[in-house]
Structure formats: C-alpha cells, structure tokens
Amino acid sequence: MLGKITLPLAFLASLAVTPLAMVLAAPPGDGPALVIVPPWADADALLARAGGRPLGPRRAPFAVLARFPSPAAAQEVHTEGAWAVLGGGALAALCGVSDA
C-alpha cells in the first residue's frame, strides 16, 4: 500500500519545491529581486536607502519584490538591514508581476 502512494506524493512534493528552487538558485542580477526583511523593518525605506523600489501591488510580511538600478545596489540592501536578497525573476514571472 505504501508503494501506491509514494509516487503521487513524490510528484506533489516536486510541484511544491520546484518554484522555490528556481527562485533560490538565481542570484540577484539586473531583474527583480526578492528582498527578505525583518517584520519590524520599514521595507519601503530600506529599499529607498539602497536605491531600490518595490514592485507589485502587494507585499508579504517578510518579503518584497523590488527593482534595483544594479546588482551591486541589490547587494547593498544587506547593509540596510535586509536578511536576504534573492533573484526574483522566476518568482515575479510566477506571480505575474512586471518589473517595468
């Protein structure tokens, strides 16, 4: 009986993990970046100090999609208090957010 459910569960797990792996594999470049921020931080102010701007109409409590003028500016957001900066192109595409 375990053999009958193993393959479907593995397939469902791969569907859940693949989009996340695509986001985490891409370093921030010229496209959108996913900025992970502490919940107490003002994400807009943090992005502005690093030269970035938010993308999209909605934000998660710990993250924001952002656009930076250069990959170096995307890395600069770490010094402003961000926990992590990840390439967000794949995530933006999945969410239908344009980086224009």
Side-chain angles (χ1 to χ4, degrees):
M1 173 139 85
L2 183 61
K4 290 183 180 181
I5 63 170
T6 303
L7 185 58
L9 285 177
F11 176 72
L12 290 175
S14 70
L15 288 178
V17 171
T18 300
L20 181 61
M22 287 175 16
V23 170
L24 294 177
D30 289 331
L34 180 66
V35 181
I36 312 297
V37 297
W40 56 84
D42 180 358
D44 289 337
L46 190 140
L47 291 175
R49 288 192 305 268
R53 64 179 174 84
L55 295 175
R58 296 188 181 239
R59 297 192 182 116
F62 289 96
V64 61
L65 277 172
R67 176 84 170 147
F68 293 92
S70 69
Q75 291 301 322
E76 179 67 23
V77 80
H78 278 291
T79 63
E80 298 298 333
W83 285 344
V85 182
L86 308 168
L91 183 61
L94 287 172
C95 295
V97 174
S98 169
D99 69 346

